[in-house]
Amino acid sequence: MSIQDTFRGIQEALPQLLSDDYLVTSVCTAVIVGLVVFVVLIFAIFRKSAGDVVILAGLSDAGKTLMFLRLTEQSYYPTQTSIKENTGKFQGKTTLTLVDIPGHDKLRYRCLDRWNNRIRAVAFVVDSSTVNKDFSDVAEYLYWLLSEPHIRKSLANLLVVCNKQDKVNAKSTTAIQSLLENEISTLNLTKSSSLRSTSSDGRPTATVGVPGKTFSFSQLACRFDIVGCFCTDSEKSASVSAVSDWLEQL
């Protein structure tokens, strides 16, 4: 076939290629392909930004490290007050990184700063047997977590873990939730007196919940749950299934 014959063939086919049906089909195909690529990119960005870190936070002696060992290693070791964070893996729907943050107020903020950009969830551990005398400190720490800008931006799930429910003097999950809500409401009032309130470590804070209203965990933008468990200084005695079930759903 000569070059002239090839050129003539293209000329004859060109009107058909440019027909209305062909153009409509081509445009629709291009739009569908573009939408698929867009959705895939958005999904990939979302999965990347969702974070893989679950923070175990709470005051010293709340039982965080024992719980961390049960969840990451299904084992028991004697523990002492942590001076640095512990990290381990939990296999749920996806592999999560559990980070046990020291409870001491001089250490907790520095440790949390290292994980801010990867936080997916916070499990806030409360000692149910001492919460009556410590509730102000407990609520202050939780208030800071919920108002700290970096954590607030990425936090999608919050679990309040009422630990040591096996103790005779342990408060129920309902009572602890009520104590925390009342104290956070008080903190909102006291801190709202300044246009730019600061927490105990000098960091800026924001109102938690709906401004001007009594605080309730239902006001949070993130998912909230509260469970009871116990994880004592015994190799065999532990009940952390409620926490592991929550982690499985993340």
Side-chain angles (χ1 to χ4, degrees), residues 67-84:
M67 188 176 302
F68 169 83
L69 290 171
R70 296 287 190 184
L71 293 169
T72 58
E73 300 182 24
Q74 295 77 50
S75 60
Y76 163 83
Y77 303 106
T79 63
Q80 57 187 2
T81 301
S82 302
I83 59 173
K84 65 177 184 178

Side-chain angles (χ1 to χ4, degrees), residues 125-182:
V125 185
V126 178
D127 184 339
S128 304
S129 65
T130 63
V131 68
N132 256 354
K133 68 182 182 66
D134 295 334
F135 75 92
S136 293
D137 292 334
V138 171
E140 179 78 36
Y141 186 7
L142 181 56
Y143 184 95
W144 179 85
L145 284 169
L146 294 174
S147 60
E148 204 283 331
H150 292 96
I151 297 175
R152 188 172 186 165
K153 181 179 179 181
S154 62
L155 183 63
N157 301 273
L158 170 67
L159 177 70
V160 172
V161 184
C162 303
N163 195 21
K164 305 186 183 181
Q165 284 288 304
D166 56 320
K167 302 290 186 182
V168 176
N169 58 339
K171 286 286 186 182
S172 68
T173 56
T174 302
I176 290 173
Q177 179 172 340
S178 180
L179 277 172
L180 291 174
E181 288 178 335
N182 290 336

Side-chain angles (χ1 to χ4, degrees), residues 32-160:
I32 291 171
V33 171
L35 286 173
V36 170
V37 172
F38 176 77
V39 170
V40 169
L41 287 174
I42 291 297
F43 180 76
I45 292 170
F46 174 78
R47 287 297 298 271
K48 183 177 180 181
S49 64
D52 65 331
V53 168
V54 178
I55 295 294
L56 291 181
L59 300 186
S60 295
D61 299 322
K64 299 183 301 297
T65 303
L66 278 174
M67 188 176 302
F68 169 83
L69 290 171
R70 296 287 190 184
L71 293 169
T72 58
E73 300 182 24
Q74 295 77 50
S75 60
Y76 163 83
Y77 303 106
T79 63
Q80 57 187 2
T81 301
S82 302
I83 59 173
K84 65 177 184 178
E85 68 265 44
N86 300 299
T87 62
K89 298 296 183 181
F90 180 90
Q91 187 62 53
K93 289 183 177 179
T94 58
T95 300
L96 300 171
T97 299
L98 263 61
V99 182
D100 168 29
I101 299 294
H104 194 284
D105 59 358
K106 300 296 183 183
L107 301 172
R108 64 177 72 139
Y109 304 115
R110 184 181 64 201
C111 292
L112 277 164
D113 281 344
R114 298 173 188 154
W115 304 97
N116 274 345
N117 295 328
R118 294 174 56 189
I119 294 175
R120 179 181 296 189
V122 170
F124 188 79
V125 185
V126 178
D127 184 339
S128 304
S129 65
T130 63
V131 68
N132 256 354
K133 68 182 182 66
D134 295 334
F135 75 92
S136 293
D137 292 334
V138 171
E140 179 78 36
Y141 186 7
L142 181 56
Y143 184 95
W144 179 85
L145 284 169
L146 294 174
S147 60
E148 204 283 331
H150 292 96
I151 297 175
R152 188 172 186 165
K153 181 179 179 181
S154 62
L155 183 63
N157 301 273
L158 170 67
L159 177 70
V160 172

